[in-house]
Amino acid sequence: MSQDPNNERRIAHIDMDAFFASIEQLDHPEWRGKPLAVGDGPRSVVSAASYEIRAYGVRSAMPVAQAKRLCPQGLFVPGRMWRYKEISRRVMGVLQHFSPLVEQASVDEAYLDATGLERLFGPPEEFALALRAAVKQETGLSCSVGIAPVRFLAKIASDFNKPDGQTIIRPQDVRAFLDVLPVQKIPGVGGRTLETLHKLGVSTAGDVLRHPAEFWGRKLGERGLWLHALARGVDDRPVTPFTPPKSSSAENTFSKDTRDPATLRRWLLLQADRVGSDLRAQGVRGRTVTLKAKFDDFTQVTRSRTLPEAICDTQTIFDTAVSLLTELNPKKNLRLIGVGVSQFGNKPRQLSLLQPEPTDRPKGALDTALDAVRSRFGKGAIMRGDLLDFDE
């Protein structure tokens, strides 16, 4: 009995194009079309590179100093993770309209189970076009889409026609596609494994099949068996729907090491504001506040405090972080500081009949007002007075 083609498994991989850099160009029209990298400061690495600056050889994870030598005229801007997360949530919301089975793989990519959706959206080509158009309409940004019978091929396919493109691999095309696929394109193959494969005369996924699975098990252990399975086009991993995050955090590496209490407090306020805003956007509260500190000798410590009730207001996060910093009482300069909130839940608080309701109501009102303005006009539209002249 032949299989109904409408029941063929179809996995889509959606990958935003130069995500961080594209958001910066979206928010700053004067930067569009110019070589731009997200990453600034002598200690930073490039976290995203626009397609214009890639022409100069600049790539993600490259030290900013090296990138500036390759493209002196490039724009190098600090990252705004809060903004990238905000757009990411909107992208994931768009994908949820197409399928309930959406798995976010990172801030700028996701898998979607498209099996059986052709009755609603047509063949894979039309489905990919609809996805890309919906993301573009919602965010103003482009994405690339790959569709294949299995996860790893969908991910590979999404990279074939970047930016703003799509690639469809049908079941009958899988073998031919793999026979010529460079082996380093297979997820997990790199470095030492790639060196071993080249010594064995393996340059494509098709070459892997010259030896049985047992051979690869002896050579590479479990990784070898996994490699052989992928070379045959076998990948049974399902798309696992979104799992809510278990924490929210923000941290910064300083351009100059410091232990000045006033400077550290202002960084903590900025980070508490970001974390609080993120928690409220997610509709969650947390009970544990964690302070992270890295010293100038690269040693790192964390201090945590679990509160009697779950919170999401900026002031409580800030006050707790400052208290943890005071207890830490650093004797050496810091190169990084960060704040996080975890242990999500909504454990109800107990109110005393002898005491007025806790005084976080005014703080909550301030957060609500700030969130409303930022939602309408952007995160940079308004800030707390204590940060007005904080030019870091």
Side-chain angles (χ1 to χ4, degrees):
M1 181 182 296
S2 62
Q3 183 181 10
D4 182 354
N6 288 331
N7 291 328
E8 290 175 353
R9 188 174 183 232
R10 289 188 181 132
I11 305 296
H13 182 261
I14 298 89
D15 194 7
M16 301 301 295
D17 298 323
F19 190 47
F20 296 176
S22 295
I23 291 175
E24 296 300 336
Q25 291 177 322
L26 177 72
D27 290 350
H28 303 88
E30 68 276 15
W31 295 349
R32 295 174 190 172
K34 296 182 178 180
L36 178 146
V38 177
D40 195 17
R43 295 173 174 170
S44 300
V45 296
V46 174
S47 58
S50 71
Y51 288 97
E52 294 85 358
I53 204 170
R54 293 183 191 185
Y56 295 86
V58 176
R59 295 291 184 270
S60 296
M62 176 181 289
V64 167
Q66 179 184 354
K68 287 184 175 180
R69 288 194 296 270
L70 291 172
C71 186
Q73 72 274 34
L75 296 169
F76 293 85
V77 302
R80 300 181 296 155
M81 186 54 68
W82 55 265
R83 176 62 170 156
Y84 311 147
K85 289 181 179 178
E86 179 183 82
I87 299 296
S88 177
R89 281 194 290 267
R90 289 167 60 185
V91 172
M92 300 307 149
V94 170
L95 302 185
Q96 291 285 348
H97 289 299
F98 286 84
S99 171
L101 297 177
V102 175
E103 177 183 340
Q104 183 170 358
S106 69
V107 71
D108 63 344
E109 61 177 324
Y111 293 93
L112 183 151
D113 193 328
T115 305
L117 296 183
E118 51 280 337
R119 289 189 178 92
L120 294 174
F121 301 104
E125 290 84 356
E126 294 181 15
F127 180 75
L129 281 170
L131 269 178
R132 291 167 49 214
V135 170
K136 186 69 171 286
Q137 181 176 6
E138 172 63 23
T139 67
L141 301 174
S142 69
C143 68
S144 297
V145 175
I147 298 180
V150 292
R151 282 177 61 117
F152 88 98
L153 284 177
K155 180 174 176 62
I156 292 172
S158 69
D159 193 50
F160 260 59
N161 284 301
K162 274 187 162 292
D164 198 17
Q166 60 188 55
T167 299
I168 314 299
I169 303 175
R170 288 182 166 78
Q172 62 268 29
D173 300 326
V174 168
R175 185 68 267 147
F177 182 88
L178 286 170
D179 282 343
V180 297
L181 179 73
V183 71
Q184 61 267 28
K185 292 282 189 180
I186 297 178
V189 174
R192 196 172 300 175
T193 301
L194 184 59
E195 183 180 340
T196 300
L197 293 173
H198 282 168
K199 287 180 179 178
L200 293 168
V202 172
S203 60
T204 69
D207 293 337
V208 174
L209 300 185
R210 294 205 304 256
H211 302 284
E214 294 76 16
F215 172 87
W216 292 112
R218 291 193 302 271
K219 288 289 184 181
L220 299 173
E222 289 295 327
R223 179 173 296 185
L225 297 175
W226 174 242
L227 173 66
H228 189 268
L230 295 187
R232 289 164 39 226
V234 176
D235 181 5
D236 295 329
R237 293 174 298 165
V239 173
T240 304
F242 170 73
T243 300
K246 297 180 180 179
S247 65
S248 177
S249 62
E251 62 182 47
N252 294 90
T253 299
F254 309 140
S255 58
K256 183 178 180 181
D257 299 338
T258 183
R259 59 176 171 144
D260 175 60
T263 300
L264 296 176
R265 284 174 61 94
R266 298 184 86 176
W267 275 115
L268 291 177
L269 177 57
L270 179 65
Q271 294 165 353
D273 194 30
R274 291 174 179 168
V275 172
S277 178
D278 183 53
L279 294 177
R280 295 188 295 274
Q282 296 183 57
V284 297
R285 294 169 176 256
R287 294 183 61 219
T288 299
V289 178
T290 299
L291 174 77
K292 176 181 177 181
K294 183 181 290 186
F295 295 99
D296 53 9
D297 60 2
F298 289 89
T299 58
Q300 180 175 300
V301 298
T302 58
R303 296 288 185 270
S304 298
R305 180 175 300 163
T306 298
L307 307 175
E309 62 185 40
I311 52 92
C312 64
D313 68 277
T314 295
Q315 190 65 47
T316 302
I317 299 170
F318 171 66
D319 290 342
T320 307
V322 169
S323 177
L324 291 169
L325 178 65
T326 301
E327 292 177 6
L328 180 62
N329 191 22
K331 302 299 183 184
K332 297 179 291 185
N333 284 341
L334 297 176
R335 63 180 281 112
L336 174 149
I337 201 167
V339 177
V341 175
S342 59
Q343 199 176 342
F344 291 169
N346 289 299
K347 180 181 177 181
R349 64 189 180 193
Q350 294 182 342
L351 301 180
S352 170
L353 296 175
L354 303 178
Q355 294 179 340
E357 188 172 345
T359 58
D360 64 350
R361 181 173 289 173
K363 292 179 290 189
L366 174 60
D367 289 334
T368 299
L370 291 176
D371 291 345
V373 173
R374 291 166 174 168
S375 175
R376 183 173 181 182
F377 299 105
K379 292 280 186 177
I382 189 170
M383 66 178 64
R384 295 172 186 270
D386 290 344
L387 297 173
L388 282 176
D389 59 347
F390 190 42
D391 60 2
E392 291 285 351

